[in-house]
Amino acid sequence: YENVGKRDSSIFFFEEAMQMAEKQENEEMVILMKTQIAALLNLLNRNEEALVLIEEAIKYGDKSNLSATYSIAADIYNALGMTDSSVMCYRKIIGLSYIYAKRKGYAGLSRYYSEIGNIKEALWFYDKYRSSSDSIDKITATTAIAQMNALYNYQMREKENERLKEENDVKSRTINAIVVSVIIFILAAIIALLYIRHRDLTLKIRLERRQRVKAKIELAALLQKEQDNNLPPIEESDAVKSLHKILNDPKNKNKVITSDDW
């Protein structure tokens, strides 16, 4: 909301956050929210309300946020014409290690001494202001170069990662192709082996059947031969004997032998 200029909405949500922090008994967060609200009230020219909040923040003395607290307080004091208080804030600021806050402190003190006619002090603090500005510019340039280098390194890493990814993809595809080929080869070998075994078994069964049939035929022939060999001579057969009996019987001298007799 602050970025789009809706400062009233920003204040509303900071107040919501402050109430949440109060419920959690998080005093540090409460003070931080009051500092942020005071800064927004100053931008809205509601400096009397902002003064109450910022003095609570100064009294709390959050060391991790002193530069921001004194910087906001200086703006509020200046807006209310409380010059001595704003100068006190500027002196507090330049005693801190934060270079950006120092620059604001030097600028504020240079302006103050210029307004009261103390040109020597004004120039001294202005020189400090310029020096801190140069330091910030160097920091900014160094940061920009570092960011460029980081971006370049990031892009190089991304390219390298992309190259490695492509290599891994190629390796994966190659490995997959080899694995599939091996599986197909194994399956083909298994199918061929099963086919050969089936074929050999079928041929074996057929051969055994043929051998059994052949054996049966040979056995039948052998039995028939043995049977033929065991038959009595035809002269000794009952049929021939019966025929001789009929022919040799004097009573049947003129008997005609019928087909039934034969």
Side-chain angles (χ1 to χ4, degrees):
Y1 283 118
E2 174 62 21
N3 289 338
V4 297
K6 295 184 178 182
R7 288 171 180 161
D8 289 333
S9 297
S10 297
I11 291 172
F12 171 80
F13 284 106
F14 275 129
E15 289 175 344
E16 289 288 311
M18 184 173 65
Q19 292 176 10
M20 293 173 65
E22 288 173 346
K23 290 180 181 179
Q24 297 172 6
E25 298 182 354
N26 187 342
E27 189 175 4
E28 182 179 349
M29 184 61 67
V30 171
I31 295 300
L32 179 60
M33 293 302 100
K34 287 183 178 181
T35 303
Q36 297 297 326
I37 293 170
L40 290 173
L41 291 173
N42 170 245
L43 293 173
L44 293 170
N45 293 320
R46 294 163 57 182
N47 291 292
E48 289 78 6
E49 300 172 61
L51 180 63
V52 175
L53 297 174
I54 201 64
E55 287 188 339
E56 290 182 17
I58 292 173
K59 184 178 180 181
Y60 180 75
D62 181 8
K63 293 182 179 180
S64 64
N65 201 40
L66 280 178
S67 59
T69 302
Y70 283 123
S71 178
I72 294 168
D75 292 337
I76 295 170
Y77 287 137
N78 276 328
L80 293 173
M82 302 170 66
T83 305
D84 291 341
S85 295
S86 64
V87 170
M88 180 271 295
C89 289
Y90 290 139
R91 292 191 180 279
K92 291 283 187 181
I93 290 173
I94 64 174
L96 301 174
S97 59
Y98 190 50
I99 187 66
Y100 293 93
K102 282 179 176 289
R103 181 175 65 173
K104 182 171 182 176
Y106 291 137
L109 290 173
S110 177
R111 184 170 57 252
Y112 166 72
Y113 283 110
S114 177
E115 289 174 353
I116 64 174
N118 190 338
I119 303 302
K120 181 179 178 180
E121 288 291 321
L123 290 174
W124 189 87
F125 281 111
Y126 181 74
D127 183 61
K128 288 290 185 180
Y129 165 77
R130 290 290 303 273
S131 177
S132 59
S133 295
D134 291 341
S135 297
I136 290 172
D137 290 341
K138 290 179 181 178
I139 292 172
T140 303
T142 303
T143 302
I145 292 172
Q147 289 175 342
M148 291 175 64
N149 289 333
L151 178 60
Y152 175 78
N153 292 333
Y154 172 78
Q155 291 174 341
M156 291 298 100
R157 285 197 302 272
E158 285 297 303
K159 288 182 179 180
E160 181 64 14
N161 290 337
E162 192 65 27
R163 185 185 67 80
L164 293 175
K165 183 180 178 182
E166 290 179 359
E167 287 185 0
N168 289 333
D169 289 342
V170 172
K171 289 180 181 178
S172 297
R173 288 194 295 269
T174 303
I175 292 171
N176 290 336
I178 293 172
V179 170
V180 171
S181 299
V182 170
I183 292 173
I184 292 173
F185 175 79
I186 292 172
L187 290 175
I190 292 172
I191 292 171
L193 180 61
L194 292 174
Y195 171 76
I196 292 171
R197 290 184 62 184
H198 176 72
R199 183 195 64 186
D200 292 346
L201 182 60
T202 302
L203 293 174
K204 183 178 179 181
I205 292 171
R206 289 178 180 177
L207 180 59
E208 288 178 352
R209 287 178 180 175
R210 290 177 182 176
Q211 289 175 345
R212 286 198 297 270
V213 171
K214 182 179 179 182
K216 287 180 180 180
I217 294 172
E218 290 177 349
L219 179 59
L222 180 60
L223 292 175
Q224 183 64 41
K225 183 177 181 181
E226 290 180 354
Q227 184 179 1
D228 292 342
N229 292 335
N230 292 331
L231 288 175
I234 193 169
E235 293 83 1
E236 297 178 3
S237 66
D238 292 340
V240 172
K241 289 179 179 180
S242 177
L243 182 61
H244 278 292
K245 184 178 179 181
I246 294 172
L247 294 175
N248 293 330
D249 189 351
K251 297 178 180 181
N252 297 325
K253 187 176 182 180
N254 297 320
K255 181 177 178 59
V256 177
I257 300 174
T258 66
S259 297
D260 291 338
D261 294 333
W262 284 108

